[in-house]
């Protein structure tokens, strides 16, 4: 599954696995497709650092522009390739792709506060996640923040609701998954 030599050149190019900059990231996305193709039911791609530097990551308290541009460079082409590849192979309808993190970024500056060095703090209440395939409705947007992207003003989504949506898309009744806690049945 990790030997990509049998992949056609157009697939290698689509993902960018031979590119010296994005190749390592691209190989992870192609590996995700290959694992899914072989029946692996859950695949996670973790992205923590970029371009060989632990300092370049999504946690942009400083240098947010540089950090996030480098992250986007590493992930944009391979992620788009994965979605296109899954769709071309007829796998996207049965494969749920979820993209996200555990928090967003505030809109106000933090860090060095110069023209070229600024950052954003953690924002646990307002952030974006997206899903594709697996029965999701393409083009749907749910939730909205105020003009400052600070407070939720419409359709807040609790993590339990997000989990319930994922379970439903996977064919599970989320109401059957409860845990007894402090005398109450709590949803996962």
């Amino acid at each position: 599954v990790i030997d990509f030599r049998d992949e056609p050149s157009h697939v290698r190019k689509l993902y960018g696995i031979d590119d010296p900059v994005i190749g390592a990231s691209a190989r992870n996305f192609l590996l995700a497709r290959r694992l899914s193709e072989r029946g692996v039911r859950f695949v996670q791609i973790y992205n923590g650092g970029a371009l060989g530097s632990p300092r370049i990551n999504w946690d942009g308290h400083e240098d947010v522009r540089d950090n996030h541009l480098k992250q986007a460079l590493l992930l944009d082409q391979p992620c788009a390739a994965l979605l296109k590849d899954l769709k071309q192979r007829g796998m996207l309808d049965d494969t749920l792709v979820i993209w996200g993190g555990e928090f967003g970024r505030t809109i106000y500056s933090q860090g060095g506060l110069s023209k070229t060095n600024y950052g954003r703090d953690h924002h646990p209440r307002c952030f974006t996640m997206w899903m594709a395939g697996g029965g999701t409705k393409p083009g749907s947007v749910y939730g909205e923040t105020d003009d400052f992207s600070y407070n939720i003003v419409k359709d807040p989504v609790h993590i339990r609701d997000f989990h319930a949506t994922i379970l439903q898309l996977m064919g599970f009744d989320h109401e059957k998954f409860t845990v007894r806690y402090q005398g109450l049945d709590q949803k996962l």
Side-chain angles (χ1 to χ4, degrees):
V1 76
I2 62 172
D3 183 353
F4 299 141
R5 288 179 292 189
D6 63 338
E7 287 293 340
S9 61
H10 73 277
V11 172
R12 297 173 70 88
K13 185 176 181 180
L14 177 70
Y15 281 87
I17 65 170
D18 297 316
D19 184 288
V21 175
I22 69 168
S25 178
R27 285 187 287 279
N28 287 334
F29 281 86
L30 182 55
L31 181 59
R33 190 266 288 161
R34 291 171 64 97
L35 288 167
S36 298
E37 220 171 21
R38 287 159 174 81
V40 175
R41 297 184 62 181
F42 180 86
V43 178
Q44 178 179 350
I45 299 173
Y46 173 77
N47 173 256
L51 303 176
S53 171
R55 208 170 110 57
I56 305 298
N57 58 57
W58 289 113
D59 197 14
H61 292 281
E62 295 179 7
D63 294 327
V64 71
R65 184 177 186 278
D66 188 49
N67 286 345
H68 289 192
L69 283 173
K70 286 179 179 172
Q71 289 289 5
L73 172 68
L74 289 178
L75 302 174
D76 191 42
Q77 179 181 338
C79 181
L82 175 65
L83 295 174
K84 183 176 183 178
D85 198 11
L86 289 172
K87 186 171 185 173
Q88 287 175 343
R89 293 168 188 275
M91 295 173 62
L92 191 57
D93 290 341
D94 298 326
T95 304
L96 178 62
V97 178
I98 303 169
W99 182 280
E102 71 276 23
F103 57 81
R105 310 279 353 154
T106 59
I107 61 160
Y108 46 84
S109 289
Q110 173 188 42
L113 303 181
S114 71
K115 187 174 183 175
T116 58
N117 181 6
Y118 54 88
R120 301 282 192 261
D121 200 3
H122 295 192
H123 198 331
R125 291 185 311 282
C126 300
F127 57 97
T128 301
M129 296 184 80
W130 61 260
M131 297 188 287
T136 59
K137 236 190 314 185
S140 299
V141 176
Y142 196 84
E144 187 177 317
T145 62
D146 60 21
D147 291 342
F148 300 104
S149 301
Y150 192 74
N151 292 305
I152 302 166
V153 295
K154 182 179 175 190
D155 299 327
V157 177
H158 192 279
I159 192 68
R160 288 187 294 263
D161 297 322
F162 186 65
H163 288 165
T165 300
I166 293 169
L167 287 169
Q168 185 223 351
L169 290 168
M170 293 172 59
F172 294 103
D173 178 2
H174 74 277
E175 295 288 343
K176 292 185 178 180
F177 292 97
T178 59
V179 177
R180 196 75 152 152
Y181 181 71
Q182 294 185 344
L184 298 173
D185 286 334
Q186 301 288 324
K187 291 181 183 179
L188 290 180

